[in-house]
Amino acid sequence: MTFLVSLIVGAIVGIVGFVRNLPSQKEFKLGSKGGFWQPVGAAAQKKLLWRGKLAISPRNWLLAFPMLGYTILLPLVLLVIFWFSSPDVLMEGFGGLLGILFGTFIAGLVAYPLGFGRRLREYRRDVAFAGAKMLARLDDTQLAGDLLAAAAQQKDSNLRLAAIVGFRELGQIQHVDKLEVLCNDSNMQVKQNALQTVQHLQKMLVQKPLSVLQLRPLFNDHWTLQRKIAEASTGSSLSKFEELYVKNQRRFEEILDSQLPLWRSFPHLYCQECYAFTEKQSAWDWEWLRCTNCQDAVHLVTGVERITGQIGGSTTWNLSEGQLQVQLWDAAARSARSGRISTLEIIGGQTIDYDWAVSAVVEKLHNENPDYGKAIRVVLVGEPALAANTVKLLRDLDSQFVDEK
């Protein structure tokens, strides 16, 4: 194969590689497990951080061709191998590399005025928004805030808009000062979005999480309206469906935005109504939190790291430094309740029938708690008087329990 032939073949490979790697939004959906924003492996976090930084930088166009680098890298590796071969083989490898670079350049030059330029600009905006949202979900909120603050000072208005999206997703009031600077931005869209985000963060301080039970019918409406819009002809019917679709979308965002304080505390959340933990749910690009029992979010409490269920002691909801104490025995009603707990604490000195209370509570835990006999520990406080059968029940619950009397 001559140098000229390898040059032509390389150019064809470059053109095909360019076409196959035209910007595609599919890879940048946040809800796609194992996707671009959820890499796997030992270096997953480093990859995630690098991609997020690049996404909100002026060089984010590099993310438009995720596989193009491999197209160029292959002949480059071969070129290094050929270096130790004959001069003819080396020239052919060099010709192939030049051909790929030339073909890629020509394909881009032709495609740019034919719509590729507009698509690339839209794609850079989309990837900047996705990257800002991803950074806002990092455990290191200080780092996320610093990176978004840097994006807020970029000349590209789309990067400043991405910073606003990230600050909204981050949901921390301490970033309002950076948003207030953007409220005076020369770009009207940046200015309006920054103002709306400031108002949203201020409202978020006093607003409780909205019910997520509304999401299921909203999903159904979302699908239906998408189909109606696709089927509708131009005219009043189309505009009506589009208007309803926008309203539906806003309701989604309102519910999910109300959960931002919960995400900052996850997984340290607990339902005050059900005495249960929280789980993640997702659909398409949306994610939300809900109680594993009532499947709603309106009663979720933040900052709960350890839960102690009590028999005896205070009847009030007591949360201090991440330690929550909940009462599992109602002495007046002589009724027990279950709960997801890590410790069962039996406090002596109360005018209650401890054997009856322990029996009722342990039965509830046995029937309703999936951690029964696995992760629950029993602690006695104040030497409550317990019968032998009651001690046996507690040992069944906690194999490490020892009655010290």
Side-chain angles (χ1 to χ4, degrees):
M1 185 184 290
T2 65
F3 175 82
L4 181 60
V5 173
S6 62
L7 184 69
I8 294 173
V9 171
I12 295 173
V13 172
I15 293 171
V16 172
F18 179 89
V19 173
R20 285 177 59 86
N21 291 285
L22 286 175
S24 168
Q25 192 173 326
K26 293 179 182 177
E27 290 188 296
F28 295 93
K29 291 192 175 182
L30 295 180
S32 175
K33 295 189 186 234
F36 191 83
W37 295 124
Q38 292 184 343
V40 296
Q45 286 302 311
K46 289 184 179 179
K47 290 179 183 177
L48 204 59
L49 186 57
W50 180 84
R51 291 169 183 176
K53 287 180 179 179
L54 185 58
I56 59 172
S57 78
R59 299 181 301 280
N60 65 6
W61 61 270
L62 292 170
L63 293 173
F65 305 97
M67 295 299 296
L68 197 58
Y70 295 105
T71 307
I72 299 173
L73 183 62
L74 178 60
L76 191 60
V77 171
L78 292 175
L79 186 63
V80 174
I81 297 173
F82 294 157
W83 184 268
F84 299 98
S85 303
S86 65
D88 291 340
V89 175
L90 176 62
M91 287 303 294
E92 290 173 6
F94 185 63
L97 177 60
L98 283 180
I100 289 176
L101 294 173
F102 180 73
T104 302
F105 175 75
I106 292 299
L109 198 64
V110 172
Y112 201 87
L114 299 177
F116 170 65
R118 176 184 57 80
R119 181 69 191 95
L120 182 59
R121 287 189 294 272
E122 292 174 353
Y123 185 79
R124 293 182 64 185
R125 180 198 62 208
D126 293 342
V127 77
F129 286 8
K133 287 182 179 181
M134 187 282 299
L135 289 173
R137 298 179 186 182
L138 291 176
D139 292 334
D140 190 343
T141 56
Q142 179 63 47
L143 175 61
D146 293 342
L147 293 173
L148 292 171
Q153 299 176 21
Q154 295 291 340
K155 292 182 180 180
D156 188 342
S157 61
N158 282 329
L159 296 181
R160 300 199 299 278
L161 284 169
I164 295 171
V165 169
F167 283 134
R168 185 184 182 95
E169 191 81 11
L170 197 58
Q172 294 181 325
I173 199 68
Q174 60 262 40
H175 299 297
V176 165
D177 58 335
K178 304 176 188 69
L179 288 164
E180 286 177 342
V181 173
L182 294 175
C183 287
N184 298 314
D185 197 274
S186 58
N187 184 290
M188 185 56 65
Q189 188 179 6
V190 173
K191 184 176 181 178
Q192 291 176 347
N193 278 266
L195 181 59
Q196 291 172 0
T197 302
V198 169
Q199 294 171 343
H200 166 76
L201 292 178
Q202 291 172 340
K203 179 182 177 182
M204 191 180 68
L205 290 178
V206 295
Q207 176 180 277
K208 290 185 177 181
L210 299 176
S211 174
V212 297
L213 297 178
Q214 308 169 53
L215 289 177
R216 187 55 55 193
L218 285 174
F219 285 143
N220 294 335
D221 291 344
H222 186 79
W223 274 112
T224 301
L225 289 169
Q226 275 189 334
R227 190 181 71 253
K228 294 283 189 184
I229 291 172
E231 295 174 352
S233 58
T234 57
S236 58
S237 60
L238 178 61
S239 60
K240 177 184 177 181
F241 290 138
E242 288 177 337
E243 182 180 349
L244 290 172
Y245 184 86
V246 170
K247 288 182 179 179
N248 197 64
Q249 187 85 2
R250 285 176 181 169
R251 186 56 181 164
F252 265 126
E253 294 173 355
E254 185 181 358
I255 294 172
L256 299 183
D257 284 349
S258 74
Q259 291 207 328
L260 288 176
L262 301 181
W263 280 104
R264 292 268 65 89
S265 183
F266 184 80
H268 303 306
L269 297 166
Y270 201 67
C271 183
Q272 193 169 14
E273 185 73 14
C274 303
Y275 290 7
F277 291 123
T278 312
E279 62 182 0
K280 287 182 183 180
Q281 291 286 294
S282 63
W284 301 295
D285 290 338
W286 295 303
E287 282 189 308
W288 65 96
L289 299 169
R290 70 180 190 181
C291 167
T292 55
N293 187 34
C294 67
Q295 300 185 349
D296 205 351
V298 293
H299 300 296
L300 296 182
V301 177
T302 62
V304 179
E305 298 178 17
R306 300 173 304 280
I307 304 98
T308 298
Q310 294 183 327
I311 297 175
S314 174
T315 58
T316 60
W317 180 274
N318 185 9
L319 175 61
S320 177
E321 297 180 352
Q323 175 69 54
L324 175 65
Q325 296 173 340
V326 295
Q327 186 58 238
L328 301 182
W329 175 249
D330 185 338
R334 291 177 65 83
S335 64
R337 72 169 300 166
S338 182
R340 295 295 303 274
I341 62 174
S342 53
T343 303
L344 175 62
E345 193 173 71
I346 305 169
I347 302 174
Q350 309 293 314
T351 55
I352 61 177
D353 185 339
Y354 282 98
D355 294 316
W356 183 281
V358 170
S359 177
V361 168
V362 170
E363 182 181 5
K364 278 279 188 180
L365 292 174
H366 184 275
N367 293 334
E368 301 177 17
N369 199 310
D371 289 334
Y372 181 87
K374 297 177 182 178
I376 299 175
R377 296 290 170 259
V378 176
V379 176
L380 302 184
V381 179
E383 298 185 354
L386 301 175
N389 286 339
T390 304
V391 173
K392 184 178 179 181
L393 279 176
L394 294 175
R395 284 178 184 160
D396 181 48
L397 176 63
D398 176 11
S399 59
Q400 301 179 29
F401 171 67
V402 177
D403 185 5
E404 298 179 353
K405 292 188 295 180

